[in-house]
Amino acid sequence: RPTPAGDIVDSENSDAERQHAAGLMRINLTGEVCAQALYQGQGVTAHLPDTRSQMELAAEEEIDHLAW
């Protein structure tokens, strides 16, 4: 899917602001990877087909977040 931030224009940031943003993105990346694994694991072990498909969809959405 296309990124929802496609129309956002980059702004000028100081070195300190860029370093801070990079640190936040590392934390965000870790969260996206963990969420993806969590949903995939829940989908694999789900007994109800509806729950399984919801977890698979949630994992796919996390893959989008990771790509964006």
Side-chain angles (χ1 to χ4, degrees):
R1 294 184 305 170
T3 176
D7 295 334
I8 295 177
V9 179
D10 286 337
S11 61
E12 293 294 322
N13 296 311
S14 68
D15 286 341
E17 290 169 323
R18 281 194 296 277
Q19 287 179 346
H20 180 68
L24 293 174
M25 291 310 297
R26 278 191 296 277
I27 293 167
N28 183 57
L29 174 69
T30 301
E32 298 296 349
V33 170
C34 291
Q36 183 182 14
L38 175 71
Y39 292 134
Q40 286 176 345
Q42 288 178 332
V44 167
T45 61
H47 296 289
L48 300 174
D50 187 50
T51 302
R52 185 178 306 115
S53 63
Q54 289 176 355
M55 292 300 107
E56 290 170 356
L57 178 60
E60 289 175 19
E61 290 174 352
E62 295 302 331
I63 292 170
D64 285 344
H65 298 168
L66 190 58
W68 295 335

